[in-house]
Amino acid sequence: MAIKILTEHIDVPGIDTFDVYRKQGGYTAVEKAIKTMTPEGIVEEVKKAGVRGRGGAGFPMGMKWSFLAKPEGVPRYLVCNADESEPGTFKDHYLMKNIPHLLIEGMIISSFALGANKSFIYVRGELMYVIHILEKAIAEATAKGFLGKNILGSGYDLELVVQPGGGAYICGEETALLESLEGKRGNPRNKPPFPAVKGLYQCPTVVNNVESIATTPWIVNNGGDAYAAVGIGRSTGTKLISASGHINKPGVYEIELGVPVEDFIYADEWCGGIRPGHKFKALVAGGSSVPILPANLALTLANGDKRLMSYESLSEGGFQTGTMLGSGGFIVFDETACIVRNTWNFSRFYHHESCGQCSPCREGTGWMEKVLHRIEYGHGHQQDIDLLVDVAKKIEGNTICPLGDAAAWPVASAIRHFRDEFQWHIDNPAEATQPGAVYRGDMALV
């Protein structure tokens, strides 16, 4: 039976309350960490676990912790990035809403390991009801002696603050998040210095994703080696996947990394297959910012092996034939999906959410949206496809933060794999603009 590290107890009635969470073994990891382990020992276990950042970048969490500067007399901070705003991604929302004490417990352990006495959970501003759930959980944990002054008589103090986000996708970028947390406009910072040296209030800071931090109680209770034994290769542990689109069972699933993509889509345990009467056309595997793949490349590597749900396997082939696991926003399209319209919709989002600080992103995202709009609505020109490719190249790698790349990759990959569909829109505007019209040419359906 598949192991569940984060969601084993998520369906237990009342698990959002302290008492029920405690009965299921909650906060035993805090007791173990504070009473029997050193901060350095906890960091070492997280490094052994090999857990990679679950917000999208996939950087090893233990290594990130080890970079934290520790100057004398200067406070250190832990900030939880709960500003989940990537289209197609909703697993952090699911975790915080249903089992908030798991995140609170992870925050206590992680803060203790990093020597932080004040930590923050920065939550997407639209999720006010989730903020209230977290604040209630914090109040319960404080009343039971797990937060506040002298936690469990150890002499360790921790204040945990929930901060509503700035209502902008860009605030999910860690330095823009820190700017927003300081009360400023959420513009990304130039790096270096990195947050580990000068972060929140110019003090050493670690920023981690909700899912990443929520792994720490299990790691403390079971050991880093046990966590590393789950998964495949350097893709250790489990991953929460937000599955949506043209599948029979959309939802959030916890999988062991290394499950074949085909199994994840078609097995009843997970997505339950493509909706009846339709075929698999394309996949966005890790949220709107990752390259889209046609069905055949989504399921199979160039050498004929099955593609796996892991960081390495999904990126196999580079951006020519691969993609990224990203934040786990798994969007499945059948043959009724219009790739041009979907790409335009993503571009609308990135244009709207660009902070405007960098010219390539500020101007380029606007150009991509406009050109895609005219192709979708029957006014495309023959040179528009190459123009889009050129604009995407001029954005990629030329911005302070990765939002420019996130805007460019979906456009470039959609044209790379579905160029005929873009050409059909330009060549057949009358047909392409009919309600429900979709390209039915040479599609590699599964």
Side-chain angles (χ1 to χ4, degrees), residues 307-319:
R307 194 180 292 276
L308 308 179
M309 298 285 286
S310 72
Y311 291 95
E312 291 75 30
S313 185
L314 282 167
S315 63
E316 178 75 27
F319 280 1

Side-chain angles (χ1 to χ4, degrees), residues 18 45 52 107 116 158 180 206 247 308 345 376 386 405:
F18 179 91
E45 290 302 318
R52 294 165 69 168
M107 287 295 293
L158 177 62
S180 177
V206 167
I247 51 177
L308 308 179
N345 205 32
E376 169 63 17
D386 290 334
D405 296 345

Side-chain angles (χ1 to χ4, degrees), residues 198-393:
K198 286 186 181 292
L200 186 64
Y201 310 126
Q202 297 300 299
C203 296
T205 304
V206 167
V207 182
N208 280 136
N209 172 261
V210 170
E211 185 185 348
S212 307
I213 291 172
T215 63
T216 56
W218 197 95
I219 292 169
V220 165
N221 277 331
N222 297 277
D225 290 334
Y227 187 92
V230 180
I232 183 170
R234 292 192 299 113
S235 295
T236 62
T238 64
K239 178 79 184 76
L240 293 179
I241 303 294
S242 314
S244 64
H246 298 143
I247 51 177
N248 288 316
K249 295 170 58 183
V252 176
Y253 298 99
E254 183 175 9
I255 63 166
E256 289 187 40
L257 286 166
V259 169
V261 173
E262 184 174 2
D263 290 1
F264 183 67
I265 292 175
Y266 290 99
D268 288 338
E269 182 182 355
W270 297 303
C271 300
I274 309 300
R275 59 182 180 166
H278 296 279
K279 291 189 175 181
F280 180 26
K281 176 180 179 179
L283 173 68
V284 173
S288 64
S289 61
V290 309
I292 190 171
L293 289 181
N296 59 320
L297 293 179
L299 301 180
T300 311
L301 300 174
N303 64 5
D305 290 346
K306 287 187 175 183
R307 194 180 292 276
L308 308 179
M309 298 285 286
S310 72
Y311 291 95
E312 291 75 30
S313 185
L314 282 167
S315 63
E316 178 75 27
F319 280 1
Q320 290 302 308
T321 59
T323 183
M324 299 165 65
L325 180 60
S327 59
F330 195 87
I331 311 170
V332 178
F333 299 105
D334 67 22
E335 81 285 356
T336 65
C338 174
I339 300 299
V340 175
R341 186 170 188 82
N342 180 74
T343 307
W344 167 61
N345 205 32
F346 282 171
S347 288
R348 287 171 60 207
F349 173 80
Y350 287 108
H351 180 210
H352 182 268
E353 295 296 339
S354 172
C355 75
Q357 187 175 195
C358 306
S359 298
C361 181
R362 181 183 66 244
E363 303 300 328
T365 54
W367 273 108
M368 289 195 300
E369 181 195 344
K370 289 172 185 173
V371 175
L372 285 162
H373 179 275
R374 74 185 182 208
I375 294 173
E376 169 63 17
Y377 284 92
H379 306 293
H381 308 308
Q382 287 300 326
Q383 64 269 30
D384 280 348
I385 299 175
D386 290 334
L387 175 61
L388 284 168
V389 172
D390 187 55
V391 172
K393 284 180 180 177

